Coordinates of all heavy atoms in Angstrom, one line a residue:
S267 N 31.5 91.9 131.0 CA 31.1 92.2 129.6 C 29.9 91.2 129.2 O 29.8 90.1 129.8 CB 32.3 91.9 128.7 OG 32.7 90.6 128.7
P268 N 29.1 91.7 128.3 CA 27.9 90.8 127.9 C 28.3 89.7 127.0 O 27.5 88.7 126.9 CB 27.0 91.8 127.2 CG 27.9 92.8 126.6 CD 29.1 93.0 127.6
L269 N 29.4 89.7 126.4 CA 29.9 88.7 125.5 C 31.3 88.3 125.8 O 32.1 89.2 126.4 CB 29.9 89.2 124.0 CG 28.5 89.5 123.4 CD1 28.7 90.2 122.0 CD2 27.6 88.3 123.3
A270 N 31.8 87.1 125.4 CA 33.2 86.7 125.6 C 34.0 87.4 124.5 O 33.6 87.3 123.3 CB 33.3 85.2 125.6
Y271 N 35.1 88.0 124.8 CA 35.9 88.7 123.8 C 37.3 88.0 123.7 O 38.2 88.6 123.0 CB 36.0 90.2 124.2 CG 34.7 90.9 124.0 CD1 34.1 91.5 125.0 CD2 34.1 90.9 122.7 CE1 32.9 92.2 124.9 CE2 32.9 91.5 122.6 CZ 32.3 92.2 123.6 OH 31.1 92.8 123.4
S272 N 37.5 86.9 124.4 CA 38.7 86.1 124.2 C 38.5 84.7 124.8 O 37.5 84.5 125.5 CB 39.9 86.7 125.0 OG 39.7 86.6 126.4
F273 N 39.3 83.8 124.4 CA 39.1 82.4 124.8 C 39.3 82.3 126.3 O 38.9 81.3 126.9 CB 40.0 81.4 124.0 CG 39.4 81.1 122.7 CD1 39.9 81.6 121.5 CD2 38.4 80.2 122.6 CE1 39.4 81.3 120.3 CE2 37.8 79.8 121.4 CZ 38.3 80.4 120.2
S274 N 40.0 83.2 126.9 CA 40.2 83.2 128.4 C 38.9 83.4 129.1 O 38.8 83.1 130.3 CB 41.2 84.3 128.8 OG 40.7 85.6 128.6
E275 N 37.9 83.8 128.4 CA 36.5 84.0 129.0 C 35.6 82.9 128.7 O 34.4 83.0 128.9 CB 35.9 85.4 128.5 CG 36.8 86.6 128.8 CD 36.3 87.8 128.1 OE1 35.1 88.1 128.1 OE2 37.2 88.5 127.5
A276 N 36.1 81.8 128.2 CA 35.3 80.7 127.8 C 34.4 80.1 128.9 O 33.3 79.6 128.7 CB 36.1 79.5 127.2
T277 N 34.9 80.2 130.2 CA 34.1 79.6 131.3 C 33.3 80.7 132.0 O 32.6 80.3 132.9 CB 35.1 79.1 132.3 OG1 36.0 80.1 132.8 CG2 35.9 77.9 131.7
H278 N 33.3 81.9 131.5 CA 32.4 83.0 132.1 C 31.0 82.7 131.9 O 30.6 82.2 130.8 CB 32.8 84.3 131.6 CG 34.1 84.9 132.0 ND1 34.5 86.2 131.7 CD2 35.1 84.4 132.8 CE1 35.7 86.4 132.2 NE2 36.1 85.3 132.9
T279 N 30.1 83.0 132.8 CA 28.7 83.1 132.6 C 28.4 84.6 132.5 O 28.3 85.3 133.4 CB 27.9 82.5 133.8 OG1 28.2 81.1 133.9 CG2 26.4 82.6 133.5
K280 N 28.2 85.1 131.2 CA 28.0 86.5 131.0 C 26.6 86.9 131.5 O 25.6 86.1 131.3 CB 28.1 86.8 129.5 CG 29.5 86.5 129.0 CD 30.6 87.3 129.7 CE 32.0 87.1 129.1 NZ 33.0 87.9 129.8
S281 N 26.5 88.1 132.1 CA 25.2 88.4 132.7 C 25.0 89.9 132.8 O 26.0 90.7 132.6 CB 25.2 87.8 134.1 OG 26.2 88.3 134.9
L282 N 23.8 90.3 133.1 CA 23.5 91.7 133.6 C 23.3 91.6 135.1 O 22.9 90.6 135.6 CB 22.2 92.1 133.0 CG 22.1 92.3 131.4 CD1 20.7 92.4 130.9 CD2 22.9 93.5 131.0
T283 N 23.6 92.7 135.8 CA 23.5 92.7 137.2 C 22.3 93.5 137.6 O 22.2 94.7 137.3 CB 24.8 93.3 137.9 OG1 25.9 92.5 137.5 CG2 24.7 93.2 139.4
L284 N 21.3 92.9 138.3 CA 20.1 93.5 138.8 C 20.4 93.9 140.2 O 20.7 93.1 141.1 CB 18.9 92.6 138.7 CG 17.6 93.2 138.9 CD1 17.2 94.2 137.8 CD2 16.5 92.1 139.0
V285 N 20.3 95.2 140.5 CA 20.6 95.7 141.9 C 19.4 96.4 142.5 O 18.8 97.3 141.9 CB 21.7 96.8 141.7 CG1 22.1 97.3 143.1 CG2 22.9 96.3 141.0
D286 N 19.0 95.9 143.7 CA 17.9 96.5 144.5 C 18.5 97.2 145.6 O 19.2 96.6 146.5 CB 17.0 95.4 145.0 CG 16.0 94.9 143.8 OD1 15.4 95.8 143.2 OD2 16.0 93.7 143.6
L287 N 18.3 98.5 145.7 CA 18.8 99.4 146.7 C 17.6 99.9 147.6 O 16.7 100.4 147.1 CB 19.5 100.6 146.1 CG 20.4 101.5 146.9 CD1 21.6 100.7 147.4 CD2 20.9 102.7 146.1
T288 N 17.7 99.6 148.9 CA 16.7 100.0 149.8 C 17.1 101.1 150.7 O 17.4 102.2 150.2 CB 16.1 98.8 150.6 OG1 17.2 98.1 151.3 CG2 15.5 97.7 149.6
T289 N 17.2 100.8 152.0 CA 17.6 101.9 152.9 C 19.1 102.1 153.0 O 19.9 101.2 152.6 CB 17.1 101.5 154.3 OG1 17.8 100.3 154.7 CG2 15.6 101.3 154.4
P290 N 19.6 103.2 153.4 CA 21.1 103.5 153.5 C 21.8 102.4 154.3 O 23.0 102.2 154.0 CB 21.2 104.9 154.1 CG 19.9 105.5 153.8 CD 18.8 104.4 153.9
D291 N 21.2 101.8 155.3 CA 21.9 100.9 156.1 C 22.0 99.5 155.5 O 22.8 98.7 156.0 CB 21.2 100.8 157.5 CG 21.3 102.1 158.3 OD1 22.2 102.9 158.0 OD2 20.3 102.4 159.1
A292 N 21.2 99.2 154.6 CA 21.1 97.8 154.0 C 22.0 97.7 152.8 O 22.0 98.6 152.0 CB 19.7 97.5 153.7
A293 N 22.7 96.6 152.8 CA 23.6 96.3 151.6 C 22.6 96.1 150.4 O 21.6 95.5 150.6 CB 24.5 95.1 151.8
P294 N 23.0 96.4 149.2 CA 22.2 96.2 148.0 C 22.0 94.7 147.8 O 22.9 93.9 148.0 CB 22.9 96.9 146.9 CG 24.4 97.0 147.4 CD 24.3 97.1 148.8
A295 N 20.9 94.3 147.3 CA 20.6 92.9 146.9 C 20.9 92.8 145.4 O 20.4 93.6 144.6 CB 19.2 92.6 147.2
L296 N 21.7 91.8 145.0 CA 22.1 91.6 143.7 C 21.6 90.3 143.1 O 21.5 89.3 143.8 CB 23.6 91.6 143.5 CG 24.3 93.0 143.3 CD1 24.1 93.9 144.5 CD2 25.7 92.9 142.9
K297 N 21.4 90.3 141.8 CA 21.0 89.1 141.1 C 21.7 89.1 139.7 O 21.6 90.2 139.0 CB 19.5 89.0 140.9 CG 19.0 87.7 140.3 CD 17.5 87.7 140.2 CE 17.0 86.4 139.6 NZ 15.5 86.4 139.5
R298 N 22.4 88.1 139.3 CA 23.0 88.0 138.0 C 22.0 87.4 137.0 O 21.5 86.3 137.2 CB 24.3 87.2 138.0 CG 25.3 87.6 139.1 CD 26.0 88.8 138.8 NE 27.1 89.1 139.7 CZ 27.8 90.2 139.7 NH1 27.6 91.1 138.9 NH2 28.8 90.3 140.6
L299 N 21.7 88.1 135.9 CA 20.7 87.6 134.9 C 21.5 87.3 133.7 O 22.1 88.1 133.0 CB 19.7 88.7 134.6 CG 18.9 89.3 135.8 CD1 18.1 90.5 135.3 CD2 18.1 88.3 136.5
P300 N 21.5 86.0 133.3 CA 22.4 85.5 132.2 C 22.0 86.2 130.9 O 20.9 86.5 130.6 CB 22.0 84.0 132.1 CG 21.5 83.6 133.4 CD 20.8 84.9 133.9
C301 N 23.1 86.5 130.1 CA 22.9 87.1 128.8 C 22.9 86.0 127.7 O 23.3 84.9 127.9 CB 24.1 88.0 128.4 SG 24.2 89.5 129.4
P302 N 22.3 86.3 126.5 CA 22.3 85.3 125.5 C 23.7 84.9 125.1 O 24.6 85.7 125.1 CB 21.7 86.0 124.3 CG 20.9 87.2 124.9 CD 21.6 87.5 126.1
K303 N 23.9 83.6 124.8 CA 25.2 83.1 124.5 C 25.2 82.7 123.0 O 24.8 81.6 122.6 CB 25.6 81.9 125.3 CG 27.0 81.5 125.3 CD 27.3 80.4 126.3 CE 28.8 80.0 126.3 NZ 29.1 78.9 127.3
P304 N 25.7 83.6 122.1 CA 25.5 83.3 120.7 C 26.4 82.2 120.1 O 26.1 81.5 119.2 CB 25.9 84.7 120.0 CG 26.8 85.3 121.0 CD 26.3 84.9 122.4
H305 N 27.6 82.0 120.8 CA 28.5 81.0 120.3 C 29.1 80.3 121.5 O 29.5 80.9 122.5 CB 29.6 81.7 119.5 CG 29.1 82.5 118.3 ND1 28.5 82.0 117.2 CD2 29.0 83.8 118.2 CE1 28.1 82.9 116.4 NE2 28.4 84.1 117.0
R306 N 29.3 79.0 121.3 CA 30.0 78.2 122.4 C 31.5 78.2 122.1 O 32.0 78.0 121.0 CB 29.5 76.7 122.3 CG 30.1 75.8 123.3 CD 29.2 74.5 123.5 NE 29.1 73.9 122.2 CZ 29.8 72.8 121.8 NH1 30.7 72.3 122.6 NH2 29.6 72.3 120.6
L307 N 32.2 78.6 123.2 CA 33.7 78.6 123.1 C 34.3 77.4 123.8 O 33.9 77.0 124.9 CB 34.3 79.9 123.8 CG 33.7 81.2 123.3 CD1 34.5 82.4 124.0 CD2 33.9 81.4 121.8
E308 N 35.3 76.8 123.1 CA 35.9 75.6 123.7 C 37.4 75.7 123.4 O 37.9 76.3 122.4 CB 35.4 74.3 123.0 CG 33.9 74.0 123.2 CD 33.6 73.5 124.6 OE1 34.5 73.3 125.4 OE2 32.4 73.4 124.9
R309 N 38.2 75.1 124.4 CA 39.6 75.0 124.2 C 40.0 73.5 124.3 O 39.6 72.9 125.3 CB 40.3 75.8 125.3 CG 40.0 77.3 125.3 CD 40.5 78.0 126.6 NE 41.5 78.9 126.3 CZ 42.1 79.7 127.3 NH1 41.7 79.6 128.5 NH2 43.0 80.6 126.9

Side-chain angles (χ1 to χ4, degrees):
S267 61
L269 298 171
Y271 292 120
S272 69
F273 279 104
S274 64
E275 300 169 49
T277 59
H278 288 185
T279 299
K280 299 300 185 179
S281 61
L282 296 165
T283 302
L284 191 67
V285 185
D286 283 305
L287 196 65
T288 55
T289 62
D291 296 331
L296 268 69
K297 184 178 180 182
R298 308 284 188 188
L299 306 176
C301 291
K303 191 174 183 178
H305 306 287
R306 181 164 57 100
L307 303 183
E308 298 284 354
R309 300 168 115 174

